[in-house]
C-alpha cells in the first residue's frame, strides 16, 4: 500500500514527496520521521470540503495531540483549519507559531489554573469545560481578569464506539465530561447559563478513535440531538455549536477499510439535518476534531536495520535502531503497521519476519509477522502510517534521543524538528552539591 506521493523510483527505492528515502536516511540519519506535505494538505482539504465548504459555520479543528510542531501549525493555519489543544504546552506551541488564537479550542479533563490563565490572557476561541471544578475555577479566574470566554460543556454521551478499549472515551465509565445519563450534563449547562464570566456557546462530545464509518457517529448524533432538544425545552437555550469530536480512522494495514472522509462527512451532515427537522430544533454548526486522519498516513518512519536473530522454526527478529521510544503504539495498543524495505522496494517479498526495537523490553516490537524481501543489516526499513501518535507519544526511555522529523515536498526536504542530542538528554539533570562534596565521598568510602 503506497500512500500520498509515495513512489518506487528507477533505483527501486521508496520515494516520498519526490525525495529518495534512502538518501534522506543517509543525509538526516535514522530513525527519521518523514512527513508528506502534499498528503497532509490533501487530508486537510478532504475535511474542509466535507464539513466546511457547504457549511461556513462549521469548523474543522486539527487535534494537535496527534503530531504537533510549529511547522505543522503553519500548515494547519494555511489550510484554514482550527486547532484543538489539550495542554499548556500545545497551546504555547500554537501561540509561538502565530496560530490565530480565536481558532484555538482548549480541551482537557484537568486543566490547571495556570493553563486556564494562559488561555484567558490570549483570548483563545473556545474552552471545552470538562467538569464542575473547572467550570467554577474558570468563571472565578475570568471574573478576576475581566474576561468572558466562550465555552463548550463536554458531555459524556454514553456511546460505545467500536474500537480499542483504551481509545474509547464516550462510554459512561469514562474520566471525560459530564455524564448525560444522570442529569449532570443538563445541570452543568443550567449552571453555566447563570454564570457571568463564561459564555456557553456549544456542547462537545467525543466517542473514541480509529472509527471507520459513520455508524458510531450517527449513534452519537442521535443522542446529542435529542439532548439538544431537551436542553431547549428545559432551559430555553438553543445550542448553536455541536462539537462531535474526532476519531476518524485510517488504513494502517490492508484489512483496515475506512470509508472516505467526504462520504462520512456527508452522512454526518445528513443525519444532523434530519434530526434538526424531525426534532424541530435549529440546526447547530458542527465542529469536528480529526487528529489521526489528518497526519497519520502522511508520516513514515525510516529505520536502519541492525541485528537479525533467526530462531529456526520459531521466529526471525529483525532489530531496528528505534522502537517503542519513537512508536509506542504496537506495545501499548497492539497496533498493526505495514512496512517497506526502502532500498529494496521492488524486490520480491520472500520471508516472514518480526520487527523489533532496540529498547530493553521484550514488548518493544514494531511489527509482529510481516512478509518482506530478504532483509539484511544496513537496509532501510520504512514503517508506514506513523504520522499520528508516534512523535507526539515519543519518550526518552533508555535515554534514547527523540528522532528528527523532515517535511518533504516536490523533492525538497526540510527539518521541522531537530534530532535530540545526548546533550539534550542531560540538559535538565542536576547533581546536587552534596553528591559532589569531597568530604562525603571520603566518609562513604
Ligand atoms: C476530545 C478529542 N478530540 C479529538 C481527538 C482526536 O482523535 P483522532 O486522532 O482519533 O481523530 C481525541 C483523541 O485523541 C480526543 O480525545
Ligand atoms: N485521545 C483519543 C485516543 C488517542 C489514541 C492515540 N493515542 C493512539 O495512539 O491511537 C481518544 O480518546 O479517542
Amino acid at each position: 500500500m503506497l500512500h500520498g506521493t509515495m513512489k518506487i523510483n528507477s533505483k527501486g527505492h521508496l520515494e516520498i514527496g519526490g525525495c529518495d528515502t534512502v538518501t534522506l536516511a543517509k543525509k538526516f540519519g535514522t530513525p527519521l520521521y518523514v512527513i508528506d506535505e502534499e498528503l497532509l494538505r490533501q487530508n486537510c482539504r478532504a475535511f474542509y470540503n466535507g464539513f466546511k465548504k457547504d457549511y461556513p459555520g462549521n469548523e474543522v479543528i486539527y487535534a494537535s495531540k496527534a503530531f504537533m510542531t510549529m511547522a505543522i501549525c503553519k500548515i494547519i493555519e494555511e489550510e484554514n483549519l482550527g486547532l484543538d489543544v489539550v495542554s499548556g504546552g500545545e497551546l504555547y506551541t500554537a501561540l509561538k507559531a502565530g496560530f490565530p488564537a480565536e481558532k484555538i479550542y482548549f480541551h482537557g479533563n484537568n486543566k490547571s489554573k495556570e493553563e486556564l490563565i494562559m488561555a484567558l490572557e490570549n483570548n483563545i476561541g473556545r474552552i471545552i469545560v470538562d467538569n464542575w471544578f473547572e467550570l467554577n475555577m474558570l468563571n472565578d479566574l475570568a471574573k478576576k481578569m475581566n474576561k468572558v470566554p466562550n465555552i463548550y460543556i463536554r458531555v459524556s454521551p454514553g456511546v460505545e464506539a467500536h474500537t480499542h478499549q483504551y481509545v474509547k472515551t464516550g462510554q459512561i465509565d469514562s474520566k471525560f465530561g459530564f455524564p448525560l445519563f444522570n442529569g449532570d450534563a443538563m445541570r452543568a449547562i443550567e449552571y453555566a447559563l447563570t454564570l457571568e464570566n463564561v459564555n456557553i456557546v456549544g456542547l462537545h462530545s467525543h466517542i473514541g478513535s480509529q472509527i471507520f464509518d459513520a455508524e458510531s457517529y450517527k449513534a452519537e448524533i442521535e443522542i446529542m440531538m435529542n439532548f439538544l432538544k431537551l436542553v431547549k425545552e428545559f432551559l430555553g437555550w438553543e445550542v448553536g455549536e455541536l462539537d462531535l469530536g474526532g476519531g476518524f480512522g485510517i488504513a494502517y494495514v490492508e484489512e483496515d477499510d475506512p470509508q472516505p472522509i467526504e462520504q462520512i462527512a456527508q452522512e454526518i451532515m445528513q443525519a444532523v439535518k434530519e434530526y434538526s427537522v424531525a426534532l424541530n430544533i435549529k440546526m447547530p454548526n458542527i465542529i469536528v476534531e480529526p487528529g489521526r486522519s489528518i497526519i497519520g498516513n502522511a508520516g513514515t518512519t525510516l529505520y536502519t536495520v541492525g541485528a537479525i536473530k533467526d530462531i529456526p522454526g520459531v521466529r526471525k527478529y529483525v532489530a531496528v535502531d528505534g522502537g517503542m521510544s519513537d512508536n509506542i503504539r504496537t506495545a501499548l495498543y497492539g497496533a498493526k503497521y505495514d512496512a517497506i524495505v526502502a532500498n529494496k522496494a521492488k524486490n520480491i517479498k520472500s520471508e516472514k519476519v518480526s520487527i523489533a526495537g532496540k529498547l530493553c523490553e521484550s514488548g518493544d516490537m514494531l511489527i509482529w509477522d510481516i512478509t518482506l524481501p530478504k532483509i539484511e543489516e544496513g537496509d532501510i526499513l520504512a514503517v508506514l502510517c506513523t504520522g499520528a501518535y508516534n512523535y507526539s507519544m515519543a519518550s526518552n526511555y533508555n535515554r534514547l534521543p527523540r528522532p528528527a522529523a523532515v517535511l518533504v515536498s516536490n523533492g525538497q526536504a526540510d527539518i521541522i524538528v531537530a534530532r535530540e542530542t545526548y546533550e539534550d538528554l542531560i540538559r535538565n539533570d542536576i547533581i546536587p552539591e552534596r553528591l559532589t562534596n569531597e568530604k562525603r565521598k571520603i566518609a562513604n568510602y
Side-chain angles (χ1 to χ4, degrees):
M1 266 200 312
L2 296 181
H3 302 275
T5 62
M6 281 183 176
K7 275 202 303 223
I8 312 297
N9 68 19
S10 54
K11 289 186 191 155
H13 292 180
L14 173 67
E15 198 178 284
I16 310 174
C19 298
D20 185 317
T21 54
V22 180
T23 313
L24 290 178
K26 237 183 240 146
K27 182 165 176 198
F28 299 103
T30 55
L32 181 71
Y33 297 114
V34 180
I35 304 293
D36 180 344
E37 181 176 346
E38 205 173 303
L39 181 52
L40 165 57
R41 290 184 186 274
Q42 260 174 38
N43 292 339
C44 293
R45 285 169 203 173
F47 272 94
Y48 189 93
N49 291 335
F51 284 101
K52 190 150 167 74
K53 203 173 68 190
D54 298 331
Y55 308 91
N58 287 3
E59 290 295 342
V60 177
I61 60 176
Y62 168 59
S64 63
K65 76 196 86 177
F67 182 109
M68 187 193 220
T69 73
M70 295 208 286
I72 298 294
C73 291
K74 286 284 177 209
I75 295 176
I76 296 300
E77 182 187 351
E78 274 180 23
E79 293 300 330
N80 295 308
L81 307 193
L83 203 65
D84 150 358
V85 300
V86 295
S87 69
E90 287 184 353
L91 177 55
Y92 184 82
T93 307
L95 294 170
K96 280 284 174 188
F99 200 87
E102 69 280 5
K103 293 182 77 175
I104 300 179
Y105 293 55
F106 195 2
H107 276 285
N109 70 309
N110 190 23
K111 302 178 194 77
S112 69
K113 190 170 159 189
E114 291 71 26
E115 286 175 325
L116 289 176
I117 291 174
M118 189 172 167
L120 290 168
E121 270 171 353
N122 289 287
N123 301 313
I124 69 160
R126 304 281 183 273
I127 299 175
I128 292 86
V129 175
D130 192 275
N131 52 66
W132 295 108
F133 171 67
E134 180 185 348
L135 186 52
N136 284 315
M137 177 161 66
L138 180 62
N139 187 62
D140 292 348
L141 288 169
K143 187 173 266 165
K144 279 191 202 129
M145 295 170 72
N146 207 14
K147 305 265 185 186
V148 185
N150 289 325
I151 67 160
Y152 292 166
I153 291 291
R154 178 163 183 167
V155 175
S156 172
V159 174
E160 295 265 341
H162 299 289
T163 185
H164 192 288
Q165 182 68 22
Y166 286 4
V167 295
K168 274 184 194 174
T169 51
Q171 72 278 20
I172 288 171
D173 185 1
S174 162
K175 71 169 182 171
F176 296 106
F178 293 91
L180 195 150
F181 82 102
N182 66 359
D184 248 21
M186 185 70 86
R187 280 190 288 275
I189 297 164
E190 184 177 25
Y191 179 57
L193 285 166
T194 68
L195 294 175
E196 276 179 17
N197 285 84
V198 295
N199 180 32
I200 175 168
V201 292
L203 301 184
H204 171 275
S205 62
H206 169 84
I207 53 174
S209 198
Q210 189 59 351
I211 298 164
F212 284 168
D213 59 28
E215 288 318 303
S216 299
Y217 293 106
K218 285 187 193 163
E220 179 188 13
I221 290 165
E222 180 182 359
I223 290 177
M224 291 305 290
M225 292 297 281
N226 276 293
F227 184 57
L228 260 57
K229 168 88 171 171
L230 284 181
V231 170
K232 183 180 167 188
E233 279 175 9
F234 281 106
L235 306 175
W237 176 56
E238 280 210 299
V239 180
E241 299 177 21
L242 178 61
D243 186 333
L244 296 171
F248 307 89
I250 63 165
Y252 285 98
V253 288
E254 222 154 1
E255 60 258 33
D256 292 341
D257 189 21
Q259 298 301 299
I261 286 307
E262 286 87 346
Q263 187 187 326
I264 298 184
Q266 201 257 329
E267 287 186 48
I268 286 181
M269 291 313 297
Q270 185 64 28
V272 173
K273 250 185 246 170
E274 284 171 11
Y275 279 108
S276 24
V277 173
L279 298 165
N280 189 28
I281 52 174
K282 188 175 83 181
M283 184 166 149
N285 290 325
I286 294 297
I287 289 82
V288 286
E289 307 170 338
R292 188 191 317 274
S293 47
I294 295 282
I295 192 78
N297 62 1
T300 304
T301 312
L302 303 180
Y303 299 96
T304 303
V305 171
I308 297 176
K309 173 180 176 179
D310 194 4
I311 312 169
V314 178
R315 182 181 298 282
K316 189 166 184 176
Y317 285 94
V318 172
V320 295
D321 54 354
M324 68 193 294
S325 51
D326 59 76
N327 181 0
I328 199 175
R329 299 193 66 261
T330 306
L332 190 58
Y333 306 118
K336 293 205 165 70
Y337 285 95
D338 194 7
I340 295 175
V341 182
N343 54 318
K344 296 177 176 169
K346 273 190 184 152
N347 295 18
I348 302 207
K349 295 180 179 181
S350 56
E351 61 172 354
K352 192 155 98 176
V353 297
S354 289
I355 309 299
K358 65 172 278 149
L359 291 99
C360 260
E361 294 277 338
S362 295
D364 172 34
M365 296 293 294
L366 292 175
I367 304 176
W368 291 100
D369 294 333
I370 179 168
T371 308
L372 292 175
K374 178 142 183 45
I375 201 162
E376 293 151 297
E377 179 221 322
D379 284 343
I380 301 298
L381 186 75
V383 177
L384 312 187
C385 290
T386 58
Y389 306 111
N390 275 227
Y391 171 68
S392 64
M393 293 176 87
S395 74
N396 291 125
Y397 184 40
N398 288 185
R399 289 242 148 173
L400 259 63
R402 287 185 183 79
V406 293
L407 185 70
V408 294
S409 172
N410 289 319
Q412 197 180 328
D414 297 297
I415 293 198
I416 56 169
V417 188
R419 184 176 300 284
E420 280 182 349
T421 61
Y422 289 147
E423 265 316 299
D424 292 328
L425 295 176
I426 58 164
R427 177 145 301 131
N428 297 323
D429 284 14
I430 295 164
I431 305 177
E433 209 197 325
R434 63 188 176 80
L435 298 184
T436 56
N437 184 318
E438 279 307 309
K439 270 190 212 141
R440 175 191 156 102
K441 267 192 196 157
I442 292 161
N444 281 349
Y445 189 72

